Amino acid sequence: MKATQPISYREIDITGGFWKEQQARSRAVTMPAVLARFRETGRFDAARCEPHWPEGKKPHFFWDSDLAKWLESAAYLLQKEPDPVLEQAAEELIAHIEASQWADGYYNIYFTAVEPKGRWQNRDHHELYCAGHLIEAAVAYYEATGRRRLLDCMLKYAAHIEKTFMTDGAAAFETPGHEELELALVKLWRCTGDARWLRLSQWFVERRGRCAGETAAMPDWQRPSYNQSHLPVREQRSAEGHAVRALYLYCAMADLAMESGDAGLRAACEALFENITEKRMYITGGIGSSHCGEAFTMDYDLPNETAYSETCAAIALALFCRRMSALEPDARYADTAERAIYNGVLSGVSEDGAAFFYENPLELRPALRRKDASVTRGERFPLTRRQRMFSCACCPPNLTRLVASFGDFLFTRDETTLYVHHYAGAKSEQIEMTTEYPRDGLVRLRLRGMAGRQAALRVPGWCESYHCDKPGSAVRGYYYIHVDSADFTVTLRLDMPPRLIYANPLLCGNIGRAAVTRGPVVYCLESVDNGENLRALSIPAKASFSGDFDALECDGHRLEGASGALYSPKPPKTLPQRLRFLPYHRFANRGECEMAVWLRVS
């Protein structure tokens, strides 16, 4: 099947409902909060690349990427409406970059301010990764404002990278240690129409896994699979190594497959998607189960309490799935994107919009973080409270840029069909969608000037019953209807009752347990509602739920010991208890408490 054409967020206004609320909060609270933390920590001023830094306060080698993602977010917001304060900060940052760029085009805060003789010598020091995020920001800012200053800086930088790596082979390595540049170069090509940037992206992707010298020089604690250098990309069939690096690479592979029609890249992307979703993904759409290397491990290794599940990794998975949806309208891709977004992504920001999780576990027992009282180096467990900022601050600005550009996920089109991949209150020149999704499964779509074409509405994999008021046919998770008038309306109702979802028994930690879901949203329990020791709770296999999107309730049970003894021949007592669930992305907003997604089934 021929790839479809994405409809850009620039053509789409989010007009109401869940995503309007998310974007309003991000604009009003999260963006200023992130900027304030970047100023407080010295990141913003570091963009001047001044050479004198006190010991202990030197810039880190990936600060550029933090700033670039914030700037990209600002571009998306400015494209939608003026914001003088936001614009002033963005222009200030661009001025710092412009003034500090080397004559040959190079720009990097750390290697300019701290170690100017060390540039292009260490593959794992994120220079190309930072360059990629700067290029993405430059493209977004130019497309939003029409201003070329940052774009011209990054065109100069891209030319320097092309000469250093592709033409002269002058660097100590050939491919990025942390992928990102590859997908950014595709964006630069789409923006400028200059095919040299597409060729450079292809060069980096094709060189990966073919450079023996690079893998031999990796640190002792890394294997080639850590940064996906173990095989040429067309031969990769399982998701390995650092999860964010992997998914950014897969994004670039999907982009190149779309632009070139490359069947080998497309087949690799399909195989990698299947490996992730069938064997290496949490029910929340989280990926990268291990703190060690922020990495994929092995099939079915998805522990709950120690789940790493980095916010950036869930974002990267959603971005990859968005590209796969454009390559081929198969509902599995949008199903996975929304699983990640509504659960593993949005859990990364607090309800007030000002604090963040880097990791997103599926179970919290705060006492475990204090259990090794007699030693200074204990077992590691995720944080139980969101933080205002992290020393590695990749996740907060990554969240802001996804929320601001959510319109990118909604639609693609080809010569005959408009594909509706995700549901939100949204409007363009020809499309108007009204819905409270995911709070409700009712979607109304109005199409103007599309008579004679088709509309394909995704029926999510979680939906067992739906109704459309227009006749049509279902193919690979999309319901196709004929648009028979110049002003056409269609209503789709997706039934979304709460239900229990069981894990494959190979997920050993979840044998005999189930998770509660409603539509695309995974639910959890917290001890503030249900009492301590959530593992003692159980839910009936045929539970009857009451409540709404914000809180679900059902009757369940709690086990209590028959005596006070540590061990007893008497079985525990089973007591009735009312269970209360909230959407997973809202956990840890009411103080430190226990949380669990999976619970026993009775």
Side-chain angles (χ1 to χ4, degrees):
M1 179 180 288
K2 185 179 178 181
T4 63
Q5 179 65 39
I7 299 178
S8 169
Y9 85 99
R10 297 189 304 277
E11 300 179 48
I12 305 294
D13 291 326
I14 303 299
T15 55
F18 183 87
W19 281 100
K20 185 69 172 178
E21 296 166 12
Q22 297 296 318
Q23 290 190 338
R25 182 187 66 181
S26 188
R27 179 187 286 272
V29 179
T30 311
M31 284 289 286
V34 173
L35 178 59
R37 302 297 87 76
F38 283 1
R39 290 192 185 277
E40 289 171 8
T41 57
R43 281 172 170 81
F44 202 88
D45 287 340
R48 295 189 176 98
C49 299
E50 295 176 348
H52 304 295
W53 285 83
E55 195 62 37
K57 294 188 177 181
K58 292 179 180 179
H60 203 279
F61 52 73
F62 48 63
W63 275 8
D64 308 64
S65 65
D66 298 341
L67 295 170
K69 282 180 281 192
W70 181 89
L71 183 55
E72 184 182 348
S73 307
Y76 295 142
L77 294 174
L78 290 171
Q79 199 277 335
K80 292 302 178 184
E81 62 181 81
D83 187 326
V85 174
L86 189 63
E87 184 176 0
Q88 181 180 2
E91 289 290 331
E92 179 186 352
L93 180 55
I94 291 168
H96 293 340
I97 295 169
E98 185 179 44
S100 304
Q101 187 171 29
W102 294 36
D104 64 2
Y106 182 84
Y107 179 84
N108 182 280
I109 294 170
Y110 177 83
F111 286 101
T112 299
V114 179
E115 196 180 342
K117 294 183 179 180
R119 66 178 194 165
W120 304 136
Q121 296 304 303
N122 190 320
R123 187 185 184 214
D124 211 34
H125 276 183
H126 291 43
E127 287 165 280
L128 293 174
Y129 167 75
C130 288
H133 278 303
L134 286 164
I135 288 169
E136 285 199 87
V139 169
Y141 203 78
Y142 169 70
E143 291 178 341
T145 68
R147 299 173 196 161
R148 292 191 59 98
R149 276 201 308 164
L150 184 59
L151 180 64
D152 288 339
C153 288
M154 290 305 112
L155 286 168
K156 190 176 178 182
Y157 195 6
H160 167 76
I161 292 169
E162 178 188 50
K163 183 177 187 299
T164 301
F165 286 85
M166 189 173 170
T167 305
D168 296 346
F173 52 93
E174 292 188 47
T175 61
H178 192 315
E179 300 94 324
E180 215 287 330
L181 176 65
E182 302 90 333
L183 70 89
L185 288 167
V186 177
K187 286 190 175 182
L188 190 60
W189 172 70
R190 289 171 176 165
C191 174
T192 64
D194 190 338
R196 67 192 289 199
W197 311 129
L198 185 65
R199 289 193 296 269
L200 185 56
S201 175
Q202 290 170 325
W203 188 86
F204 279 122
V205 168
E206 296 292 355
R207 291 299 300 155
R208 184 164 296 275
R210 302 179 186 274
C211 310
E214 281 187 344
T215 57
M218 292 177 72
D220 291 342
W221 64 273
Q222 294 181 6
R223 296 188 176 96
S225 56
Y226 174 73
N227 53 29
Q228 300 75 48
S229 300
H230 56 300
L231 289 170
V233 295
R234 298 165 192 279
E235 299 174 24
Q236 297 189 28
R237 291 295 184 270
S238 61
E240 305 292 345
H242 188 280
V244 178
R245 301 182 197 219
L247 269 296
Y248 283 168
L249 172 63
Y250 307 158
C251 283
M253 291 163 61
D255 279 339
L256 293 173
M258 178 181 295
E259 299 301 340
S260 66
D262 190 308
L265 283 177
R266 180 167 174 168
C269 288
E270 291 169 350
L272 291 162
F273 172 83
E274 289 176 3
N275 175 250
I276 292 169
T277 56
E278 295 177 9
K279 298 179 180 179
R280 301 191 173 192
M281 180 183 73
Y282 285 99
I283 192 171
T284 57
I287 55 172
S289 59
S290 177
H291 164 256
C292 298
E294 304 181 320
F296 293 103
T297 56
M298 62 184 186
D299 293 348
Y300 306 110
D301 179 37
L302 297 166
N304 296 318
E305 283 184 323
T306 58
Y308 197 70
S309 189
E310 182 186 344
T311 302
C312 278
I315 291 170
L317 176 60
L319 295 174
F320 173 57
C321 290
R322 190 189 78 197
R323 289 162 166 85
M324 295 302 290
S325 288
L327 263 176
E328 181 179 16
D330 184 324
R332 295 179 303 156
Y333 301 127
D335 286 352
T336 302
E338 75 170 8
R339 180 186 294 272
I341 291 169
Y342 287 113
N343 302 290
V345 172
L346 292 180
S347 59
V349 63
S350 59
E351 286 191 318
D352 66 7
F356 308 93
F357 270 147
Y358 193 102
E359 306 166 51
N360 299 277
L362 278 76
E363 187 168 347
L364 288 178
R365 285 192 288 162
L368 291 176
R369 289 183 54 81
R370 301 182 287 272
K371 73 185 181 72
D372 295 308
S374 62
V375 293
T376 58
R377 294 184 63 187
E379 193 174 353
R380 186 187 183 281
F381 292 93
L383 294 175
T384 56
R385 299 175 187 266
R386 289 180 180 81
Q387 306 295 301
R388 293 170 72 240
M389 190 49 62
F390 313 100
S391 58
C392 177
C394 52
C395 296
N398 217 359
L399 265 163
T400 57
R401 70 175 186 150
L402 182 140
V403 171
S405 62
F406 181 72
D408 273 345
F409 283 85
L410 300 182
F411 310 107
T412 62
R413 58 189 166 201
D414 59 22
E415 295 84 354
T416 63
T417 308
L418 171 72
Y419 296 92
V420 184
H421 302 293
H422 296 273
Y423 298 113
K427 188 175 182 179
S428 73
E429 187 175 335
Q430 291 184 292
I431 306 165
E432 184 176 356
M433 182 159 52
T434 306
T435 181
E436 290 298 316
Y437 192 93
R439 296 188 177 101
D440 183 86
L442 181 64
V443 181
R444 293 186 176 90
L445 189 68
R446 183 180 182 185
L447 304 176
R448 299 180 182 88
M450 294 190 186
R453 304 183 69 192
Q454 292 186 110
L457 285 65
R458 179 174 62 97
V459 178
W462 51 258
C463 183
E464 297 178 349
S465 175
Y466 67 95
H467 173 76
C468 184
D469 66 351
K470 297 291 191 294
S473 59
V475 180
R476 304 185 76 173
Y478 286 84
Y479 187 76
Y480 289 76
I481 55 176
H482 179 66
V483 179
D484 58 11
S485 64
D487 191 349
F488 180 83
T489 60
V490 58
T491 299
L492 175 69
R493 183 180 293 278
L494 304 168
D495 291 340
M496 50 171 66
R499 60 178 184 161
L500 299 189
I501 301 295
Y502 298 85
N504 187 312
L506 292 172
L507 272 68
C508 299
N510 292 328
I511 292 174
R513 303 167 86 187
V516 173
T517 67
R518 180 181 179 272
V521 175
V522 175
Y523 283 72
C524 68
L525 305 99
E526 287 192 311
S527 57
V528 68
D529 299 314
N530 299 283
E532 301 296 323
N533 193 16
L534 296 177
R535 287 194 176 191
L537 300 176
S538 65
I539 187 171
K542 295 184 178 180
S544 177
F545 291 90
S546 62
D548 55 20
F549 173 82
D550 293 313
L552 297 174
E553 293 188 3
C554 73
D555 290 328
H557 300 94
R558 175 181 287 276
L559 291 180
E560 282 192 3
S563 69
L566 184 58
Y567 305 105
S568 172
K570 298 180 180 179
K573 295 182 290 185
T574 300
L575 305 176
Q577 179 168 327
R578 189 72 172 169
L579 306 180
R580 182 178 176 87
F581 300 82
L582 73 157
Y584 170 81
H585 69 255
R586 294 178 55 200
F587 82 90
N589 279 286
R590 297 177 293 171
E592 188 176 64
C593 65
E594 290 186 28
M595 180 275 291
V597 168
W598 297 93
L599 71 164
R600 294 181 304 109
V601 179
S602 57

